[in-house]
Amino acid sequence: MLPVNEAEALILNLVQPLDSQQDAEVVDLSSAAGRILATPVTSQLDFPHWDNSAMDGYAVRYADVQNCSAEQPAILEIVEEIPCGFEPQVTIQPGQAARILTGSMMPDGADTVVMQEVTKREGDRVVILTAPQPQAFVRHRAAFYQAGTPLLPAGIALNAPEIAVLAAAQCTELPVYRRPRVAILSTGDELVTPDQPLQPGKIVDSNQYALAAIVAQSGAIPLMMGIVRDEREALKEAIASAISTADIVLSTGGVSVGDYDYVEEILAQLGAEIHIRSVAVKPGKPLTVATFPQNRKMGSGAAENQLFINKPVLYFGIPGNPVSALVSFWRFVQPALRKLSGLSQGWEPIWVKARSLHDLRSDGKRESYLWGCLNLKDGDFEFQLAGGSHSSGNLINLANTNGLAVVPVGTTFIPAGEQVLVLKI
């Protein structure tokens, strides 16, 4: 069994991120939310586009007001009103001012804004009662961004702030990475779909739906390939089909040491290189990780030699127990999927330290994950253990949880009130 950190590092080193040329597509701005930018974006606009006022007040020449005070105010003639969206028509001359609003364009000749709170209006004149600082409340053209320079770097997720920047920069079409395709198949004669009658001894396949949901939430395209029976040829055909269409393949079940666990055998037949067979983690010990290199023939038979993999494929065989399947995804698959998607950073698991509200127990033999709720209270995180059994088959108490507390190898007990490392999910 590999230690968890070694398994994580090995998996992430196996990931080949999408190519910014071959795996890019252009989308319009309204469809760009959540996508990963494939190439840097520049704009032909300066930000601000022109000098403008950061305050309601009066645009003036600093030379006219630099020595004024309440005792010796400067009295200026108001020669123009400049509302937002209006281009000034007058050049400010000595002894003149323009009424200006926040965001309005500065008129020629003016270099400073006096806020209205230190002025007094008298008809077509304004009395300046306090001397401002030079260039006070003026936002200068290109102070935030200069046209032609990089605006946003490649490899970032386009969320609300980035979308706002792109809209303001009039970038209406964007190069983004295509969404990774993740094939999901469940193995086992005992499985039935949620819409089938549940006969004695059968189990509803929840993994297919749970993994499809979390794959979609991760920004990828889930390919639900259904249930595959415990038959070598059927499983081989299903895996071969998945490999030919997806960037990542997830199969649940069939990776332990049971009589019908054929996954590793079939992967070897199809030419995969198997890197991981088990990890010292609980739940989720049986974990098969394999790769199919790019431009490689898949299989050994004459017909199979006609099938080429034209892209690298990463294969995860994860346990069939529902909790084990999700924990394996959160801990190992999701970071790999994020890195594959083109993110330049931020694809690693997110860890926080939290005070446990309950005693945490483990047998100490493997790194153990206990699920529960992570909450922020008075600036510090608290972890509340989910009630009920923490069995890998108990999916029920996993609902409404958002964190996995870690009990390290060699530790059997962490008392309530102690700090614990928690994986945010």
Side-chain angles (χ1 to χ4, degrees):
M1 289 188 296
L2 276 180
V4 173
N5 288 341
E6 288 186 24
E8 177 191 39
L10 176 56
I11 290 168
L12 291 176
N13 284 334
L14 292 173
V15 176
Q16 299 183 40
L18 295 178
D19 184 85
S20 61
Q21 300 299 318
Q22 297 180 6
D23 296 309
E25 59 188 22
V26 176
V27 299
D28 61 54
L29 183 60
S30 62
S31 303
R35 302 300 295 270
I36 310 299
L37 197 59
T39 58
V41 170
T42 60
S43 173
Q44 299 309 307
L45 298 176
D46 290 322
F47 284 84
H49 308 319
W50 43 73
D51 290 358
N52 69 89
S53 175
M55 187 70 65
D56 291 347
Y58 295 88
V60 302
R61 298 170 67 254
Y62 178 70
D64 289 338
V65 297
Q66 61 181 327
N67 296 316
C68 70
S69 64
E71 292 75 25
Q72 294 183 320
I75 302 175
L76 306 176
E77 179 188 7
I78 301 171
V79 295
E80 188 174 25
E81 301 270 350
I82 310 174
C84 291
F86 179 82
E87 183 178 0
Q89 303 297 308
V90 175
T91 298
I92 302 302
Q93 304 295 336
Q96 295 180 339
R99 171 64 172 155
I100 198 166
L101 300 179
T102 302
S104 294
M105 189 174 181
M106 288 288 290
D108 290 340
D111 57 15
T112 300
V113 172
V114 178
M115 61 180 181
Q116 65 185 27
E117 288 83 353
V118 296
T119 68
K120 183 170 61 173
R121 181 80 177 253
E122 295 180 348
D124 63 353
R125 297 182 181 278
V126 60
V127 179
I128 312 297
L129 302 172
T130 300
Q133 294 296 314
Q135 303 185 52
F137 304 116
V138 176
R139 294 186 288 224
H140 292 283
R141 178 174 181 169
F144 305 154
Y145 168 79
Q146 186 174 3
T149 61
L151 179 66
L152 293 177
I156 64 169
L158 299 177
N159 296 314
E162 293 76 23
I163 295 295
V165 168
L166 292 165
Q170 296 185 319
C171 298
T172 58
E173 292 189 335
L174 305 164
V176 298
Y177 287 105
R178 65 174 177 84
R179 295 185 188 275
R181 295 164 62 87
V182 180
I184 305 165
L185 53 94
S186 303
T187 69
D189 289 339
E190 74 280 10
L191 298 177
V192 297
T193 59
D195 59 340
Q196 289 180 291
L198 189 61
Q199 302 296 330
K202 298 296 184 180
I203 300 172
V204 176
D205 175 22
S206 63
N207 289 335
Q208 187 91 191
Y209 296 86
L211 292 173
I214 197 169
V215 164
Q217 289 168 0
S218 301
I221 299 173
L223 307 174
M224 298 176 67
M225 304 193 70
I227 298 169
V228 184
R229 300 303 168 196
D230 288 324
E231 300 171 1
R232 281 185 174 86
E233 287 307 312
L235 187 55
K236 186 175 183 179
E237 182 179 343
I239 292 177
S241 176
I243 292 166
S244 68
T245 58
D247 302 288
I248 289 179
V249 178
L250 296 178
S251 69
T252 58
V255 291
S256 190
V257 292
D259 293 341
Y260 301 101
D261 294 340
Y262 303 134
V263 169
E264 286 193 15
E265 173 189 332
I266 290 169
L267 291 176
Q269 291 176 6
L270 292 173
E273 182 178 355
I274 298 176
H275 303 274
I276 298 175
R277 289 179 167 84
S278 64
V279 180
V281 64
K282 182 179 181 181
K285 172 186 170 184
L287 176 69
T288 297
V289 180
T291 52
F292 290 85
Q294 187 173 4
N295 298 325
R296 179 172 175 173
K297 294 177 181 179
M298 186 168 62
S300 55
E304 292 168 324
N305 279 342
Q306 305 305 311
L307 182 59
F308 283 78
I309 304 171
N310 59 10
K311 60 186 180 311
V313 178
L314 186 57
Y315 188 100
F316 289 91
I318 59 181
N321 282 330
V323 175
S324 297
L326 283 172
V327 170
S328 296
F329 187 96
W330 284 319
R331 186 64 185 88
F332 301 111
V333 182
Q334 193 167 50
L337 181 54
R338 287 173 175 161
K339 183 177 180 182
L340 172 71
S341 71
L343 278 174
S344 60
Q345 59 184 1
W347 29 262
E348 303 91 345
I350 299 174
W351 300 97
V352 298
K353 287 187 176 180
R355 182 175 66 88
S356 179
L357 301 181
H358 299 88
D359 294 340
L360 305 179
R361 290 181 170 83
S362 169
D363 60 12
K365 297 177 181 178
R366 289 176 277 162
E367 186 168 295
S368 297
Y369 292 80
L370 301 174
W371 48 98
C373 290
L374 188 65
N375 298 303
L376 191 62
K377 184 176 181 181
D378 298 329
D380 295 315
F381 282 107
E382 292 182 340
F383 178 77
Q384 183 175 358
L385 188 67
S389 166
H390 277 248
S391 161
S392 60
N394 181 15
L395 183 62
I396 303 303
N397 70 343
L398 193 63
N400 295 317
T401 59
N402 63 353
L404 298 173
V406 181
V407 181
V409 175
T411 300
T412 59
F413 178 69
I414 299 176
E418 291 292 312
Q419 290 284 312
V420 63
L421 200 61
V422 180
L423 173 63
K424 294 182 71 174
I425 60 175

